[in-house]
Amino acid sequence: MTLRLYNTLQRAAVPFEPLDPPTVRMYACGPTIYDFAHVGNYRSFVVYDLLRRYLMWLGYDVRFVMNLTDVDDKVIDGAAKAGLDIREFTAPFGEAILRDAETLGILPADAYPMATQHIEGMVEWVRRLEEKGLAYAADDGSVYFRIAGFETYGDLKGLDPDSLKTGARVDVDEYEKDDARDFALWKAAKPVDAEVGAAWDSPWGKGRPGWHLECSVMSIAELGETLDIHLGGEDLIFPHHENEIAQSEGVTGQPFVRFWVHVKHLILEGEKMSKSLGNTVTVRELLDEGVEPAAIRHELMSAQYRRELNFTREGLAASSAAVQRLVDFHARLEELTPTEGADDTRVASLADAALGRFRAALDDDLNSAEALAALFVFVKEVNAELDTAAQVNAGDRQAALDAIESMDRVLGLVSLAQAGRAVDDDVAAWADDMVAERDQARKDKDFARADAIRDELAAKGLVLEDSAEGTRWKVVR
RNA sequence: GGCGCCGUAGCCAAGUGGUAAGGCAGAGGCCUGCAAAGCCUUUAUUCCCCGGUUCGAAUCCGGGCGGCGCCUCCA
């Protein structure tokens, strides 16, 4: 079995093989840091994380880079309104986005380059494109990419370049361009740009880089001229990624990206999520409402990444319960006392089957919904086996633990949920004392007292489970 | 107008030619002092509708209906 990924370039799922195994060079278009990121952004980030973790799980050495766009029209507008320099304006958003990513169990990237750190490189690129006749300066000091000079323009999106000429959304203000389809590599500074610190010296006068340019320059600076995988939201296919290809290959003459992977946009409560509808939800808001991070992460991976995902509050509640089931299962295994010499159960073979199905699911274009199903089938089967078997040996217990922990290295749900259930030592000690007191009350048949203690613990989010081995308490979110 | 996606139980969502995964929610039961957790049974004779192909279709084809995305800076 090999991993197959849907490559937008080929419009088909094709076997993935890195150019230089075991290294995988992977780049993702990150957010523009002019606001807090919404759950739609995080669907993409979670998918990036899922792919990265799965590649690592398969044994690849993944080098992952995600940019943060810290200069563009929206950044400049926001900074101007706030009366701040763009760096002051964007820094808190960048920090918040990375903090929330960490909260959702997203592994940190190897680098988070920002456009303002690569101005020199971008100027150099524009210069080289100009040398090759692929760029030209307009009278106002802006520089444009000449699409007519790049014959495969439009291939990624499958667009006919000629059809773009009459596009209704072509900006009528850009009369300086030779061709309406040409896009800006370098934008001449407007007065407001300089006010917020978004104007740099260049051979064409004061200006700032165009948005598309940064991803080409930064990804190649970090990872080399040919990337194995380039990720982004589906909206970026055109024009952003199309432009990246044109710029990059225009300069290097090498294939820029081998696999283009695009994440479908989610919808929110059955509706398109957009700022104009005013229905965006940020991860920050959900966390403030008390939604646990693992539930958000679970819901974001509950549909395969190229499918529409309907993100709902009801779904979050379901995800929270599903995550709790995984946590309970893991705890059951950890707390299980193995019996030496006990007969083998079906657990080891169930683990093999589950891992096989899990892997087949993810190999199939990262089908996370199917992978989750494999895990939950495993949970049910092992629970049933443990209910049936009088005793379990250490090998079977370990096989089950190894299996769920292995799958969770990709999913990142159990570890995240467990981290969210950690309690302070003094709370744990208090809970232990209360459980001991309740045990005594139960022995004395003082069930009123026992139930009162249980209620008291419940008020603090601690739930009791009585069993033959004794009583345990757990944190529920 | 061009290109493309989707429509599966109360909700979310796999399956894409061989007789409907999984999670949540609901019902009944076992276990329990009562719970919790877990297990068992149950909840779509059917996959938007109508035709067609096939021994056989949720899966392929045609036509509808409905929802959605992109077509120059939105993950």
Side-chain angles (χ1 to χ4, degrees), chain A residues 404-426:
Chain A
I404 185 173
E405 287 172 5
S406 177
M407 289 186 261
D408 198 56
R409 278 198 292 281
V410 179
L411 302 174
L413 293 171
V414 176
S415 51
L416 186 62
Q418 286 170 336
R421 284 164 174 71
V423 296
D424 292 339
D425 289 347
D426 55 331

Side-chain angles (χ1 to χ4, degrees), chain A residues 230-242:
Chain A
H230 188 133
L231 298 130
E234 60 171 343
D235 54 301
L236 299 181
I237 297 171
F238 189 90
H240 186 52
H241 290 161
E242 198 76 59

Side-chain angles (χ1 to χ4, degrees), chain A residues 384-396:
Chain A
E385 190 72 5
L386 296 180
D387 279 1
T388 304
Q391 300 173 325
V392 175
N393 62 43
D396 278 352

Side-chain angles (χ1 to χ4, degrees), chain A residues 4-44:
Chain A
R4 299 173 72 87
L5 286 176
Y6 186 90
N7 188 350
T8 306
L9 208 48
Q10 295 169 65
R11 297 186 178 220
V14 292
F16 173 74
E17 184 68 29
L19 192 61
D20 183 22
T23 300
V24 173
R25 298 179 176 85
M26 180 164 137
Y27 180 89
C29 285
T32 300
I33 48 178
Y34 70 109
D35 197 353
F36 295 111
H38 53 64
V39 289
N41 293 298
Y42 281 99
R43 179 187 199 188
S44 292

Side-chain angles (χ1 to χ4, degrees), chain A residues 329 333 347-355 373-383 399-401 403-404 407:
Chain A
F329 176 70
L333 292 172
V347 168
S349 70
L350 292 173
D352 282 347
L355 286 167
L375 173 56
F376 278 100
V377 167
F378 178 65
V379 169
K380 179 182 278 289
E381 289 177 333
V382 172
N383 269 325
L401 272 173
I404 185 173
M407 289 186 261

Side-chain angles (χ1 to χ4, degrees), chain A residues 327-340:
Chain A
V327 169
D328 286 342
F329 176 70
H330 187 267
R332 180 179 190 182
L333 292 172
E334 279 211 309
E335 292 165 16
L336 179 69
T337 304
T339 305
E340 198 170 340

Side-chain angles (χ1 to χ4, degrees), chain A residues 6 26 60 118 165 187 211 227 423 452:
Chain A
Y6 186 90
M26 180 164 137
Y60 290 111
H118 286 261
K165 285 184 178 175
K187 295 184 155 188
W211 174 48
L227 314 179
V423 296

Side-chain angles (χ1 to χ4, degrees), chain A residues 173-193:
Chain A
D173 292 335
E174 313 241 56
Y175 49 82
E176 301 252 19
K177 295 194 282 190
D178 286 358
D179 184 319
R181 303 168 301 165
D182 292 346
F183 60 90
L185 295 164
W186 186 261
K187 295 184 155 188
K190 296 174 188 165
V192 66
D193 296 352

